[in-house]
Amino acid sequence: MSLRPLHDRVIVKRLDQETKTASGIVIPDSAAEKPDQGEVLAVGPGRRDNDGRRIAPDLNVGDRVLFGKYAGQTVKVDGNELLVLREEDIVAVVQS
């Protein structure tokens, strides 16, 4: 990947949602919502506090995260659609 996030930004790849319901109904792409779960591909070095000290992010590459439906900025890199988010836009880390 050729992106390196700055400050407290994070690069996330959206994970595909199920296209079939539990009862077996197939949901077409046009009716499906954007997934609100993704995998962290890159993490910036962190933001700075008022004294200039760097605050390290709480995320790591490979984490599965939840984020808001309309959060972040969508970018296309090498044909892949990625999402650039601030760390504060990420709601939770999914632990398995």
Side-chain angles (χ1 to χ4, degrees), residues 11-42:
I11 308 285
V12 174
K13 180 179 181 184
R14 288 184 192 265
L15 296 176
D16 294 330
Q17 271 188 304
E18 292 289 323
T19 57
K20 189 184 286 188
T21 64
S23 61
I25 298 171
V26 177
I27 301 170
D29 289 337
S30 60
E33 293 183 7
K34 287 184 177 181
D36 56 357
Q37 194 173 123
E39 180 181 354
V40 176
L41 299 179

Side-chain angles (χ1 to χ4, degrees), residues 4-91:
R4 182 176 56 92
L6 301 175
H7 308 291
D8 65 337
R9 289 187 173 76
V10 179
I11 308 285
V12 174
K13 180 179 181 184
R14 288 184 192 265
L15 296 176
D16 294 330
Q17 271 188 304
E18 292 289 323
T19 57
K20 189 184 286 188
T21 64
S23 61
I25 298 171
V26 177
I27 301 170
D29 289 337
S30 60
E33 293 183 7
K34 287 184 177 181
D36 56 357
Q37 194 173 123
E39 180 181 354
V40 176
L41 299 179
V43 179
R47 63 182 174 90
R48 295 196 181 267
D49 64 7
N50 293 336
D51 296 328
R53 291 182 298 239
R54 191 168 300 276
I55 300 171
D58 292 331
L59 299 168
N60 296 312
V61 173
D63 284 348
R64 289 182 68 155
V65 295
L66 296 176
F67 48 86
K69 187 181 284 191
Y70 302 107
Q73 178 69 38
T74 304
V75 294
K76 273 202 166 195
V77 177
D78 300 330
N80 296 323
E81 190 172 295
L82 304 175
L83 198 58
V84 181
L85 299 162
R86 288 188 170 273
E87 185 182 17
E88 64 192 28
D89 292 338
I90 294 176
V91 178

